[in-house]
């Protein structure tokens, strides 16, 4: 029986080795060929603030993997779940700060709706496909409570001071992902100290809510209302949409401990399984101009900043430039996000577009280049894959190059469109030129140039009237 191996090899954080990827469904004789799915879960945003460029990296990395899996197994045979965390103490704090006149729950609704909408807009502008399913934490509270009840019944969790906590010593394998002992975890000071814990490394599954905070009837016989801990959310949502065991779990390197470690503990102990996901993938950290990104450093950059303001390098950056700049470093390596890197990506895209437009007669190739695909199948080796793109353009194989770029979410020939607001500014400038207000016209020209729109003045060949065309500079 076919085992589903398509040549894809991925580096598994759990085993610290590069492994041949064989989807679980292909080993299930009870499933028909049409019912087999590759199942992947990636931790999504906590919607209390606009996503920053560190958040963008896993979205782009796992979008590329999603595209590669669809290419290898077929679009209808891949299920990609990326969650929205819409219940969290950070959301509560932001809501209380931004909407002090509203009741907290109403303020939370305002924050989560606006932030989720901005997240969707930002990641779409970066060329990412929507996931197959996007579960929200607040829609899965009952599933979380049911899992908590099971963990208490099996002796892996206990009630203390209105909280339900997972007892880490109850799982002999706890720490297998991060490869930390319980003593190391305590020494690392990444555990919350509380007198009611049986062990310092025990973590919260459910906690009480105070008046006005989001709350649901508590599980495990606790009176009153409460809300879930962060880790139980992903365990419940992944089980609901992908099953007790699935193929790939992804996220940033910072999530290995405690979040992913605790997900494994909850899920395996609740379901009685030896694993939650067979392959764990983690992208490396991101820094900005050689320094850790933080608001205190003054180098905190949101996706919105990059795409729609002139706060980075004095101009806004098209989504495909940001995407390519991110992909030029292997996903497992640390990435130094610099203006020079953006400029290099913009130059490459400019060159590819010129070559693509010059060779449009050969654009009828529908399949990516095999050497390019082989590079992707080797643990998403995008540096090799992009090097192959340059080779294809140099060889005049424009169609193969374009089809290959499209596989990773980049279009070599981009539509030259601008917004209604930009069109209105161009019209305003033309009116200023008509009355010979050249200084005012220059202000608008320079403003648009900063936003990547280069204006080109000329005359209509028939009427002789002044006209302005534009070019979007990458």
């Amino acid at each position: 029986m076919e085992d589903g191996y398509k040549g894809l090899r991925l580096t598994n954080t759990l085993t610290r080795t590069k492994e041949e990827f064989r989807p679980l469904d292909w080993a299930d004789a009870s499933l028909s060929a049409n019912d087999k799915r590759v199942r992947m879960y990636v931790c999504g945003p906590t919607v209390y603030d606009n996503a920053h460029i560190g958040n963008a990296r896993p979205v782009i990395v796992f979008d590329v993997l999603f595209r590669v899996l669809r290419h290898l197994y077929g679009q209808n045979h891949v299920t990609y779940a990326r969650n929205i965390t819409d219940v969290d103490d950070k959301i509560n704090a932001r809501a209380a700060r931004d909407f002090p006149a509203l009741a907290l729950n109403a303020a939370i609704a305002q924050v989560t709706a606006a932030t989720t909408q901005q997240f969707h807009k930002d990641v779409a502008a970066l060329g990412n496909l929507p996931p197959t399913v996007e579960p929200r934490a607040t829609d899965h509270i009952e599933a979380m409570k049911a899992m908590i009840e099971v963990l208490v019944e099996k002796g892996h969790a206990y009630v203390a001071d209105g909280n339900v906590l997972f007892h880490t010593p109850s799982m002999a394998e706890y720490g297998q992902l991060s490869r930390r002992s319980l003593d190391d975890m305590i020494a690392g000071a990444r555990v919350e100290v509380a007198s009611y814990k049986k062990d310092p490394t025990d973590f919260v599954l459910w906690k009480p809510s105070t008046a006005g905070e989001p709350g649901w009837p508590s599980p495990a016989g606790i009176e009153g209302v409460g809300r879930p801990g962060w880790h139980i959310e992903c365990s419940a949502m992944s089980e609901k949409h992908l099953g007790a065991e699935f193929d790939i779990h992804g996220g940033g390197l910072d999530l290995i401990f405690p979040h992913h470690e605790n997900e494994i503990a909850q899920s395996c102990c609740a379901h009685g399984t030896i694993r939650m996901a067979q392959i764990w993938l983690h992208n490396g950290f991101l820094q900005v101009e050689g320094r850790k990104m933080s608001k205190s450093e003054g180098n905190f950059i949101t996706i919105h900043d990059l795409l729609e303001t002139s706060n980075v390098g004095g101009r806004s950056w098209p989504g495909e430039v940001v995407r390519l700049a991110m992909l030029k470093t292997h996903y497992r390596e640390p990435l130094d996000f610099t203006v020079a890197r953006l400029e290099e990506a913009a130059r490459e895209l400019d060159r590819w577009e010129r070559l693509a437009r010059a060779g449009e007669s050969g654009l009828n190739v529908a399949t990516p280049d095999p050497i390019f695909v082989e590079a992707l199948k080797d643990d998403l080796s995008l540096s090799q894959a992009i090097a192959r793109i340059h080779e294809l353009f140099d060889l005049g194989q424009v169609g193969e190059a374009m089809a290959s770029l499209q596989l990773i979410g980049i279009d070599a020939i981009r539509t030259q469109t601008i917004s209604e607001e930009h069109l209105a500014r161009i019209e305003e400038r033309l009116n200023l030129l008509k009355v010979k207000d050249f200084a005012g016209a220059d202000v608008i020209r320079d403003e648009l140039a900063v936003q990547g729109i280069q204006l080109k003045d000329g005359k209509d060949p028939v009427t002789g009237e002044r006209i302005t065309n534009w070019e979007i500079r990458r």
Side-chain angles (χ1 to χ4, degrees):
M1 181 181 179
E2 184 191 359
D3 62 4
Y5 181 56
K6 303 283 188 179
L8 178 62
R9 299 171 301 281
L10 299 170
T11 298
N12 190 350
T13 305
L14 189 62
T15 62
R16 306 308 199 261
T17 60
K18 189 185 293 185
E19 300 178 5
E20 296 179 346
F21 176 61
R22 289 175 168 81
L24 295 171
D25 277 4
W26 271 252
D28 189 343
S30 69
L31 293 175
S32 69
N34 287 336
D35 291 333
K36 295 180 188 295
R37 300 285 185 277
V38 177
R39 292 167 285 148
M40 178 171 72
Y41 185 89
V42 175
C43 292
T46 299
V47 286
Y48 70 97
D49 201 355
N50 288 348
H52 55 69
I53 57 174
N55 304 136
R57 193 179 189 193
V59 173
I60 293 171
V61 164
F62 291 105
D63 177 73
V64 170
L65 180 56
F66 181 37
R67 290 168 181 272
V68 171
L69 291 170
R70 282 158 49 109
H71 176 74
L72 296 176
Y73 293 93
Q75 292 187 15
N76 296 327
H77 293 278
V78 183
T79 301
Y80 171 24
R82 186 185 67 215
N83 74 293
I84 295 286
T85 294
D86 58 352
V87 52
D88 185 87
D89 288 349
K90 290 180 180 178
I91 297 174
N92 298 354
R94 179 64 180 267
R97 187 194 77 186
D98 288 1
F99 300 97
L102 294 179
L104 182 58
N105 283 328
I108 287 169
Q110 294 272 6
V111 168
T112 57
T115 307
T116 301
Q117 182 180 35
Q118 186 65 50
F119 174 75
H120 287 152
K121 179 182 177 182
D122 288 344
V123 298
L126 295 177
N128 297 294
L129 298 171
T132 314
V133 59
E134 191 176 54
R136 299 174 70 94
T138 51
D139 292 335
H140 295 74
I141 299 295
E142 293 306 313
M144 298 173 204
K145 290 165 58 177
M147 183 174 284
I148 290 170
E149 295 276 7
V150 170
L151 289 168
V152 172
E153 290 169 9
K154 290 187 172 184
H156 292 291
Y158 60 95
V159 176
D161 280 12
N163 299 271
V164 185
L165 297 108
F166 185 92
H167 189 41
T168 56
S170 73
M171 183 188 188
E173 300 81 12
Y174 186 76
Q176 61 182 318
L177 183 67
S178 60
R179 299 195 176 183
R180 300 184 185 196
S181 67
L182 295 182
D183 288 341
D184 288 340
M185 293 172 197
I186 296 169
R190 291 205 62 184
V191 296
E192 181 186 355
V193 177
S195 60
Y196 51 76
K197 288 185 176 183
K198 292 182 179 180
D199 187 274
T201 60
D202 294 350
F203 58 89
V204 171
L205 302 175
W206 189 266
K207 55 189 173 183
S209 295
T210 59
E213 289 182 326
W216 294 263
S218 295
I222 299 172
E223 292 186 5
V225 298
R227 58 194 189 278
W230 175 32
H231 314 304
I232 196 69
E233 296 177 5
C234 286
S235 283
M237 287 186 281
S238 62
E239 190 274 334
K240 172 73 173 177
H241 296 281
L242 303 177
E245 297 181 65
F246 50 92
D247 294 300
I248 298 169
H249 195 314
L253 197 65
D254 57 314
L255 296 182
I256 293 176
F257 181 81
H259 186 49
H260 289 168
E261 194 74 77
N262 291 351
E263 280 187 61
I264 291 172
Q266 296 162 159
S267 296
C268 290
C269 290
H271 302 308
T273 56
I274 61 171
R275 63 187 170 192
M276 178 185 184
Q278 66 162 335
I279 299 234
W280 288 80
L281 298 180
H282 294 92
N283 62 272
F285 291 117
L286 179 145
Q287 58 184 13
V288 176
E289 302 287 354
R291 296 180 298 147
K292 181 179 179 181
M293 183 176 68
S294 70
K295 291 181 179 178
S296 62
E297 288 279 345
N299 64 349
F300 186 86
I301 304 171
T302 68
I303 303 172
H304 173 79
D305 290 333
L306 275 176
L307 300 177
E308 300 186 33
T309 74
S310 57
N311 295 344
V312 181
R315 57 166 289 188
S316 60
W317 299 91
E320 62 268 22
V321 171
V322 179
R323 185 179 183 89
L324 179 60
M326 290 272 189
L327 292 178
K328 286 168 65 66
T329 295
H330 192 279
Y331 77 91
R332 288 189 290 108
E333 298 299 322
L335 187 154
D336 189 13
F337 197 79
T338 65
V339 171
R341 172 182 288 270
L342 289 166
E343 291 171 342
E344 179 184 26
R347 287 192 297 271
E348 285 181 295
L349 285 164
D350 277 344
R351 177 176 182 269
W352 292 342
E353 182 162 20
R354 288 195 302 272
L355 293 170
R357 289 186 182 280
E360 285 190 74
S361 59
L363 302 187
N364 58 349
V365 176
T367 58
D369 172 68
I371 296 175
F372 176 87
V373 174
E374 284 302 312
L376 293 180
K377 287 162 64 175
D378 183 16
D379 199 29
L380 301 184
S381 296
L382 275 150
S383 59
Q384 296 177 32
I386 291 170
R388 179 58 178 168
I389 294 293
H390 287 288
E391 290 179 2
L392 290 169
F393 275 117
D394 290 343
L395 292 168
Q397 295 176 238
V398 175
E400 290 88 343
M402 290 188 63
S404 300
L405 285 170
Q406 287 167 2
L407 176 56
I408 60 172
I410 295 174
D411 288 323
I413 294 181
R414 294 154 288 178
T415 304
Q416 300 283 304
T417 59
I418 59 177
S419 69
E420 292 294 328
E421 291 80 5
H422 288 141
L423 288 173
R425 292 294 278 165
I426 291 171
E427 182 66 25
E428 182 182 348
R429 176 175 176 271
L430 283 172
N431 290 333
L432 290 173
L433 289 171
K434 287 177 182 178
V435 298
K436 297 186 179 182
D437 183 356
F438 300 113
D442 287 347
V443 168
I444 295 176
R445 179 201 62 200
D446 294 342
E447 169 196 317
L448 293 173
V450 166
Q451 297 175 48
I453 301 168
Q454 183 178 18
L455 301 183
K456 297 181 178 181
D457 293 320
K459 291 185 178 181
D460 187 294
V462 177
T463 66
E465 183 181 1
R466 180 189 292 272
I467 60 173
T468 297
N469 293 316
W470 62 85
E471 177 182 322
I472 299 177
R473 299 178 60 195
R474 306 298 174 181

